[in-house]
Amino acid sequence: MGDKDRLISDEPVESGSSLKRQQQQQNTRVPWYLASGFLLFWVLLFYAVVIPLFYRLPTGLTIEDVSKGGFIAERAQNNLYNLAGIGPKVVGSDANENQTVAYLMSELELIEQNVLTDYFDLEIDVQVVSGSYIHWTMINMYQGVQNIVIKLSPKNTTSESYLLVNSHFDSKPTSPSAGDAGFMVVTILEVLRVMSRTKQTFEHPIVFLLNGAEENPLEASHGFITQHEWAPFIKAVVNLDAAGSGGREILFQSGPNNPWLVDAYKNNARHPFATTMAEEIFQTGLLPSDTDFTIFTKYGNLIGLDMAQCINGFLYHTKYDRYDAIPRNAYQNTGDNVLSLVRALSNATQLHNPSAYATGHAVFFDFLGLYFVSYSATTGVYLNYIVAASSLLLVFISLWRIADVSHITTCNVSSWFILILILQIIAFVLGVGLPVVVAYVMDMYGLSLTYFSTPALLIGLYVCPSLLGLSLPTFIYFKLQRNISFGHHLQLALHGHAVVLALVGIALTVYGLRSAYVITWTLIFYVIPLALNLLTTLHDRGYSWSGLLKAVQILPFLYNSYLFYTFLTLMVSMMGRFGRGTNPDLIVSALTALGSVLALGFLLPLINMFRRPSFVLLILLAVSGLTIYTATSTQIGFPYRPKTNVERIPFLHVRRIFHEYDGTVSKDESGYLFNFQDRRGAAPLKAYKVNLTGLVSIESDCNTYMFCGLPLYDHRWVKNRLKGMWLPREDPITPPGTPDLQLVSKTILADYTTVRLEYNLTGPDHMSLFIQPYEDVVISNWSFLTSYIQAPGSTSSYPPPYHIYFTYGKDKSPLQFFIELTKADGDFDVPVMQLGVSGHYISSPGDAISTKFVKTIPPFAVTVDWPATYHRYIF
């Protein structure tokens, strides 16, 4: 054996200077110019495999394919063309309450005419329902909202367990709602059409719910599940919603506690797209979204699956959520999945008694849309611990093996490993922390969201800093003197990363997060090659072990890059509506960094196999520097683009009037109330020379007046009120109308310490009441939910002031209510309560001045605006 062969086989160098050892080991490394090719391979793998599979869709079937008995995308697409053509469908508007309902009923009549009546019974009901419930910190009260309810039953069925399939047809103001959720409504229509025309029968009746008040929020689903005659028989739900337009729909909630539902998805979804991690993130409540699934599980005790469109969320809730944004193949993807799932669940024996199968949560995920993996949460816990323990055990065996073949003590090798482990912990922290630092610093200078229209900037802004942080400590380590071969030191570095991941996985499992599966499966594909290398002599021969490692690492690289690309695709668009109070770049940078660490954590140390690994670090540094310059100094880094990546600017044309106890008016002001949706707020408008002279924060008003003394629209406006902005206007705003509040009666009750005030309120279809009793007064009773008020003996967690959000659909009758106030001294000839009334004229245009102002808004922004009034009374 020659000297060179002896080096490659990792025989220890027993003599000569440290410098000579380093020179000899440097000669065994791969030429430096191949390092860039090594990294380029993984980049190309991502773009050649992950990206095409992420956006892959099945070919949409046409009407000519009807004989195949499947979902016909063209037919659903034609339905959406007509539905979206109606325009915005706000609750209470003619478009929502009359035009949309009429169109859907006409389609249902066509379906009913072609039902195979020998096999199925079809019943159609239009529910007009009123009710209320507590949502966040307000009472959500609705009157006369509509549901179109269809029940498809097998002939002569005896099953009293129904399956619910739900979506909504109403919309946010200005949005034609093609994606959210017209797309899902026409999917339901086509599924109903196909199932009622084919002889493939099923066991359980299916209720298809097209609800007309989800955006309000979640009112119609509450009315259905708490009041409809079919609701008590429903055992499970497939909820369909959207946070985007086009592409694949993602399964992001399941159960709860019924893993058989995930198995049903696994066995029947033809194009799987799902992850437990999405479920856990959504259920934190951090995302600016909610769905009817929450209502069904909370008020109906249902189990089910929650799925939503998620790609191209930049159009969500804007006027650009149009029919032409959704490709025909997307209909086929969702239609295939929903049709197969509904058929499977309507035949599920578990539906008879779901509680008997409530065995816990599930861990689930798809691999590139090609395969679906699921197992119980309990299995997941065992798997996590077993894989982590196996990693630690194999690392220990490897340390012993290195010591043996290097003819040094295990203690000596362990000392090197402890050092590299500390450095790998630092590397992990830097890998996640450096991108977060970049995000923090850029936000300090008002430069957040630079990636919003150009996601490729994420590579230089966050991926490259993450890789720099991840690789720098090990790069320094390899410059130190050593008494074992370089190949073994490289293995120690990889072992250190494995131990860090094992400890993180154990911690996440102890905390109860099923998302720990991501760590576990990343570790599995390190444990496998390590075990095989130890079973052979590859472990002890130079870099021979690295070939198997690199081959096996293809799978975790593909999955982790696919998973985090999914989250970035969802989250980047959401950052445009995350509010001014949170730096969205911290979230995006952390996600990008975690994806980089998990995808490349076992690959990046291998650059040290090449000569001059500093060359790779310089490339990463150069790309980061160039990207930061581009993002901060050129138009490429400007977040917004007309039509495709817009800034959302909701604002109200407000007239507010404060009435005093004696009937006089102490304040009469007009202005525009802005609720900016993203971190940059008004800055882009000011840069565009929009006249915002006098724009101020409303925080001082919020500290002075009940609910800021402004017509805060809903729970989200209330939550973000301290970030609201007020632009005063000299010319008074003349609203289309004014809510009419009448005090019908004032009665002192028998105990002489309680007064009953009865009111009658008329006004637009969206109003709010804001109620604040004075300090020595309590509300002891009222006509709203009593669980909301802190009356004597009450355990309510909602202190005053109180917010009642009131909307109506078909039923426009006045709101009649009473409030009983108790005061110890019984003196009711003095003020006892403030009552604010806001009215929102969502479907009405603004006056000429407001219209002129809106026209000055730049094309990269979209406004969602309407006239609103606020009257503060003292009683």
Side-chain angles (χ1 to χ4, degrees), residues 91 138-143 216 219 711-714 738-741 760-770 803-808 811-817 836-842 866 868-869:
V91 171
M138 72 180 188
I139 290 181
N140 190 9
M141 186 173 184
Y142 53 92
Q143 176 178 287
N216 255 33
E219 293 174 343
L712 303 173
Y713 173 55
D714 61 10
T738 300
D740 182 17
L741 177 70
N760 188 84
L761 175 65
T762 58
D765 46 46
H766 288 70
M767 294 185 284
S768 280
L769 297 174
F770 304 101
H803 178 198
I804 290 89
Y805 176 80
F806 173 71
T807 60
Y808 61 76
D811 183 358
K812 300 181 180 181
S813 57
L815 173 63
Q816 298 175 337
F817 64 96
V837 180
S838 69
H840 295 266
Y841 298 85
I842 295 175
W866 60 81
T869 63

Side-chain angles (χ1 to χ4, degrees), residues 367-381:
F367 180 74
L368 305 177
L370 301 174
Y371 187 72
F372 191 80
V373 178
S374 68
Y375 44 87
S376 70
T378 302
T379 300
V381 169

Side-chain angles (χ1 to χ4, degrees), residues 767-788:
M767 294 185 284
S768 280
L769 297 174
F770 304 101
I771 302 170
Q772 171 74 70
Y774 281 110
E775 188 172 343
D776 58 343
V777 180
V778 296
I779 297 176
S780 53
N781 193 18
W782 63 4
S783 53
F784 308 113
L785 292 174
T786 55
S787 59
Y788 183 58

Side-chain angles (χ1 to χ4, degrees), residues 627-820:
T627 303
I628 292 173
Y629 172 80
T630 302
T632 58
S633 304
T634 72
Q635 191 64 20
I636 294 174
F638 184 68
Y640 315 111
R641 302 290 185 273
K643 298 184 179 180
T644 58
N645 306 75
V646 294
E647 181 183 15
R648 302 159 186 264
I649 306 179
F651 74 95
L652 306 177
H653 322 163
V654 175
R655 178 80 174 266
R656 64 172 177 171
I657 300 174
F658 286 19
H659 305 269
E660 297 304 320
Y661 183 66
D662 60 5
T664 60
V665 173
S666 60
K667 185 187 289 287
D668 186 347
E669 291 182 341
S670 294
Y672 303 126
L673 176 61
F674 290 89
N675 181 26
F676 291 105
Q677 295 291 285
D678 69 41
R679 185 69 164 177
R680 293 213 174 189
L685 301 186
K686 293 178 178 178
Y688 195 79
K689 308 302 183 185
V690 175
N691 185 5
L692 297 178
T693 304
L695 184 71
V696 295
S697 169
I698 66 170
E699 185 171 358
S700 61
D701 276 1
C702 295
N703 294 330
T704 305
Y705 305 117
M706 172 183 62
F707 283 109
C708 313
L710 289 163
L712 303 173
Y713 173 55
D714 61 10
H715 58 299
R716 296 191 185 277
W717 283 65
V718 169
K719 179 182 178 182
N720 298 328
R721 63 188 181 276
L722 297 182
K723 295 297 179 180
M725 305 291 287
W726 174 258
L727 181 64
R729 190 178 115 170
E730 292 184 5
D731 297 301
I733 288 174
T734 304
T738 300
D740 182 17
L741 177 70
Q742 296 180 355
L743 176 61
V744 177
S745 67
K746 178 178 179 180
T747 307
I748 306 298
L749 301 186
D751 62 1
Y752 300 108
T753 61
T754 302
V755 65
R756 180 186 178 102
L757 305 176
E758 297 187 16
Y759 297 93
N760 188 84
L761 175 65
T762 58
D765 46 46
H766 288 70
M767 294 185 284
S768 280
L769 297 174
F770 304 101
I771 302 170
Q772 171 74 70
Y774 281 110
E775 188 172 343
D776 58 343
V777 180
V778 296
I779 297 176
S780 53
N781 193 18
W782 63 4
S783 53
F784 308 113
L785 292 174
T786 55
S787 59
Y788 183 58
I789 55 175
Q790 290 190 333
S794 168
T795 58
S796 171
S797 58
Y798 303 97
Y802 302 114
H803 178 198
I804 290 89
Y805 176 80
F806 173 71
T807 60
Y808 61 76
K810 289 289 286 186
D811 183 358
K812 300 181 180 181
S813 57
L815 173 63
Q816 298 175 337
F817 64 96
F818 72 85
I819 301 175
E820 294 181 1

